[in-house]
């Protein structure tokens, strides 16, 4: 059983989440600056642009799900509404060069935003949707 932050237990398995080289570079920088971080898709977001925050500040809600983890041990959490069908999708964390727009996400201060690239797992190469 996977332990969630702050003592909660997960009753499901999470999986590895792929990250682009650029995303891993940004994550490494954020880890050096802030310590462990978490990516979170809140219920009121677009479902493709996670917020990055220090793990120590993350308080998952009762409906939040630990969906995966990157090679840098950065957890990807999401609101339950985004997790429906998630096991049939391939998810890749990418980074976009964007000017920060009043975002509380850690990478925005560096001029970047994380974005999820999502494809059907059984149809490699078929594009579903991507954050712009």
């Amino acid at each position: 059983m996977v332990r969630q932050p702050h003592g909660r237990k997960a009753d499901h398995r999470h999986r590895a989440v792929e990250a682009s080289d650029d995303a891993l570079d940004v994550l490494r920088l954020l880890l050096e600056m802030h310590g462990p971080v978490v990516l979170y898709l809140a219920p009121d977001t677009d479902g493709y642009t996670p917020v990055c925050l220090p793990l120590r500040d993350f308080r998952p809600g009762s409906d939040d799900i630990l969906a995966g983890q990157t090679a840098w041990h950065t957890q990807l959490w999401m609101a339950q509404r985004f997790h429906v069908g998630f096991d049939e999708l391939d998810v890749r964390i990418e980074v976009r060069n964007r000017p920060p727009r009043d975002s509380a996400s850690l990478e925005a201060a560096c001029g970047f935003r994380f974005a999820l690239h999502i494809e059907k797992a059984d149809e490699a190469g078929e594009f579903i949707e991507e954050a712009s």
Side-chain angles (χ1 to χ4, degrees):
M1 198 169 282
V2 176
R3 284 240 177 240
Q4 297 180 353
H6 315 296
R8 288 182 48 203
K9 292 181 181 178
D11 59 359
H12 63 281
R13 294 174 47 93
H14 64 281
R15 65 181 191 173
V17 175
E18 187 179 352
S20 70
D21 290 341
D22 289 340
L24 289 174
D25 289 343
V26 173
L27 280 172
R28 184 172 10 96
L29 175 66
L30 294 173
L31 290 168
E32 290 171 4
M33 295 169 60
H34 302 282
V37 297
V38 64
L39 298 175
Y40 176 56
L41 282 172
D44 59 348
T45 62
D46 62 8
Y48 300 96
T49 311
V51 174
C52 181
L53 57 148
L55 180 61
R56 69 182 170 275
D57 294 343
F58 180 61
R59 302 287 184 261
S62 60
D63 289 338
D64 292 334
I65 296 168
L66 174 58
Q69 184 168 289
T70 71
W72 289 101
H73 305 290
T74 298
Q75 296 175 345
L76 172 64
W77 284 77
M78 60 180 58
Q80 186 174 14
R81 77 181 195 102
F82 295 123
H83 196 262
V84 176
F86 185 77
D87 292 333
E88 289 83 40
L89 301 174
D90 284 332
V91 177
R92 179 179 172 94
I93 300 167
E94 298 181 351
V95 67
R96 302 282 186 247
N97 186 5
R98 286 193 191 171
R101 290 187 219 142
D102 298 333
S103 175
S105 193
L106 294 175
E107 80 281 10
C110 300
F112 300 103
R113 285 294 287 151
F114 289 116
L116 300 182
H117 178 88
I118 301 172
E119 294 179 330
K120 287 184 181 177
D122 60 348
E123 298 176 21
E126 182 180 331
F127 178 72
I128 301 290
E129 191 161 353
E130 180 179 348
S132 57

